[in-house]
Amino acid sequence: MENMQYAEELVREFLVFRGFTNTLQAFETERCTDIGKMFQVYKILDLIFAVYIPKFHAEKLVGLFSFFKQCFSSWSETTMLDTFSKLEGSVLRYYIVHALQSGRKDKVVEFFGMNGNDLLLKGSDWTAWFAIPYVKNPSIDPQFRVYFSKEWYEALRLSVRNFFSEVFNGTHIL
């Protein structure tokens, strides 16, 4: 608890030093309403699925996963790291699917422009996805069809929720 208070004081000091008074005010307001005093799975889910993806904030989405990857980097359990990486890939695929469903091919092309090299380094399973903005109807293409289904989205959301719930509750089911 002392570490949390120290961190909060550092944040306050930084915001005051930089003159970010509006941000300081918002920080104080949210801090006072933080009843859980810890990571809140539903707020993270909302951030991913109700803010970053619908508003096409790909850089923030990728940044959030990078942050969590840094937090989890000390894990000795390779199963958890592998699961996290697979979930990250699925969420990024959903970002692409959502952009296409919203008629925003430009956001898909922009996403690959910013993250393409990193995705290719993660594995060859991303290679086919670089063609998706140019596929006439990807929702019926056998390679991509499953990603456009409501069932896949609901399973993804549930998997992300379950993963973060297990991590934040300190229990890891292998």
Side-chain angles (χ1 to χ4, degrees), residues 105-148:
K105 286 184 184 183
D106 61 315
K107 291 295 180 181
V108 177
V109 172
E110 179 182 292
F111 174 79
F112 285 129
M114 290 182 340
N115 303 295
N117 290 335
D118 293 334
L119 294 173
L120 285 174
L121 291 174
K122 289 180 183 186
S124 61
D125 59 330
W126 275 99
T127 306
W129 282 83
F130 284 87
I132 200 168
Y134 309 105
V135 174
K136 189 168 185 143
N137 195 349
S139 65
I140 61 171
D141 186 285
Q143 192 164 10
F144 304 114
R145 180 178 39 226
V146 69
Y147 301 102
F148 286 83

Side-chain angles (χ1 to χ4, degrees), residues 41-57:
V41 173
Y42 288 99
K43 285 188 176 186
I44 294 168
L45 285 175
D46 283 346
L47 189 61
I48 293 170
F49 292 104
V51 178
Y52 289 169
I53 291 175
K55 294 185 179 185
F56 306 107
H57 294 301

Side-chain angles (χ1 to χ4, degrees), residues 4-114:
M4 185 66 75
Q5 290 171 342
Y6 177 69
E8 288 175 358
E9 287 302 318
L10 286 177
V11 169
R12 277 190 204 91
E13 182 180 330
F14 173 77
L15 295 175
V16 170
F17 174 75
R18 292 294 306 266
F20 297 151
T21 55
N22 290 336
T23 305
L24 176 62
Q25 217 170 5
F27 172 72
E28 290 297 339
T29 301
E30 286 201 34
R31 194 183 62 74
C32 290
T33 61
D34 180 19
I35 53 175
K37 305 290 186 211
M38 64 173 126
F39 288 112
Q40 295 179 11
V41 173
Y42 288 99
K43 285 188 176 186
I44 294 168
L45 285 175
D46 283 346
L47 189 61
I48 293 170
F49 292 104
V51 178
Y52 289 169
I53 291 175
K55 294 185 179 185
F56 306 107
H57 294 301
E59 68 286 346
K60 291 179 181 179
L61 182 64
V62 170
L64 181 67
F65 277 97
S66 293
F67 165 74
F68 282 124
K69 201 175 293 177
Q70 279 184 315
C71 291
F72 304 154
S73 66
S74 64
W75 283 354
S76 59
E77 302 172 31
T78 56
T79 305
M80 292 298 278
L81 287 172
D82 289 343
T83 302
F84 179 76
S85 292
K86 288 176 184 173
L87 285 174
E88 175 187 18
S90 294
V91 169
L92 296 178
R93 283 179 172 90
Y94 179 69
Y95 174 88
I96 294 165
V97 166
H98 175 74
L100 291 172
Q101 288 174 327
S102 301
R104 298 297 307 265
K105 286 184 184 183
D106 61 315
K107 291 295 180 181
V108 177
V109 172
E110 179 182 292
F111 174 79
F112 285 129
M114 290 182 340

